[in-house]
Amino acid sequence: MSGSHIIFSYGTLKQGERNEYVMKDPNNGTATFVGRGCTAKKYPLVVASQYGIPFLLLLEGQGSQVLGEVYEVDDSMLAFLDAFESHPDFYRREVATVLMTQDKNGEKLDPPQTKECWIYFLPKYKPEMLELQFLENYTSESKDHVPYDERYKRKEEARVTALPD
Ligand code: PCA
C-alpha cells in the first residue's frame, strides 16, 4: 500500500450502499474501514435528480452534522475515487473535520476522535437544491426520495440537473 489518505463517505460508497463494491475491489487499490462519525460542521445533504444522487453541498452551517464512514485509502484508491466521482469538475474533494464516534469494531469513542478527512462535496449547485429536504444520514432506500440509479454515470443529464447554468 503506498500513500495514506483519510476519506469520509456520506453516500453511495458506504457499507450496504450501491457503490460499496468500488471500495472493496483490490484492482482499485485498498480501502480500510476506520470507523463512523459525523461532520464537525453542518452541511446540507440532499438527494437530487431522477437518479437519486446524494450530494453534500459545500455550504457550512446549514443542514445537519452528516453521518458517514471513515476509510484509510492508498494513492491508487484515491485516484480511482477521484475519477469515479468526477473530481474536481462535478464533486470536489475538500478537507473537512469529522468527529469519529465509533471505532472500526463499533466501540464508542468518548470523547469523539477528531479526524481531518477528504470529502466529496458538491461545490456548485442550483439554488433550488436548497429547497430540498436536508438529511442527516443517506440511505438509498428511503420513502423520502427515489432510489439511487447508477445509470446517471452515463448521462450528461444528471449533471445538468445538479449544476448551475
Ligand atoms: N459517493 C461519495 C460522494 C457521494 C457519493 O455517492 C460518498 O459516498 O461519499
Side-chain angles (χ1 to χ4, degrees):
M1 166 154 169
S2 94
S4 170
H5 315 274
I6 305 292
I7 75 146
F8 175 80
S9 164
Y10 62 85
T12 58
L13 297 171
K14 291 191 299 186
Q15 290 167 20
E17 297 299 339
R18 300 295 287 278
N19 293 325
E20 175 188 20
Y21 71 94
V22 169
M23 303 283 261
K24 297 252 154 87
D25 187 345
N27 293 316
N28 303 340
T30 61
T32 310
F33 178 65
V34 178
R36 291 197 163 75
C38 66
T39 55
K41 292 182 176 149
K42 293 179 176 179
Y43 302 96
L45 171 59
V46 299
V47 174
S49 93
Q50 64 181 117
Y51 301 102
I53 308 166
F55 295 113
L56 194 58
L57 308 183
L58 192 52
L59 177 64
E60 272 178 33
Q62 288 196 40
S64 300
Q65 288 179 278
V66 167
L67 298 171
E69 298 172 357
V70 178
Y71 290 86
E72 187 181 349
V73 303
D74 66 359
D75 293 343
S76 166
M77 181 63 82
L78 188 69
F80 188 92
L81 291 174
D82 282 353
F84 188 76
E85 305 296 0
S86 302
H87 162 79
D89 302 323
F90 188 46
Y91 289 99
R92 194 166 79 206
R93 178 161 56 79
E94 295 269 348
V95 173
T97 307
V98 166
L99 306 175
M100 226 172 65
T101 51
Q102 266 180 40
D103 71 7
K104 63 180 188 311
N105 302 314
E107 301 290 336
K108 190 171 178 193
L109 294 170
D110 192 13
Q113 199 178 325
T114 302
K115 293 239 177 223
E116 297 303 307
C117 299
W118 291 114
I119 304 183
Y120 291 98
F121 284 98
L122 193 69
K124 294 190 205 124
Y125 45 85
K126 290 198 166 156
E128 298 92 274
M129 288 177 100
L130 295 175
E131 285 155 32
L132 296 169
Q133 188 183 345
F134 297 162
L135 308 173
E136 183 188 30
N137 187 32
Y138 166 79
T139 49
S140 170
E141 304 299 332
S142 162
K143 60 173 175 29
D144 296 325
H145 58 76
V146 298
Y148 180 74
D149 180 351
E150 62 269 19
R151 281 177 301 173
Y152 95 84
K153 291 265 178 207
R154 283 182 249 133
K155 299 191 181 179
E156 198 50 39
E157 188 192 330
R159 296 183 188 210
V160 174
T161 323
L163 298 179
D165 304 322

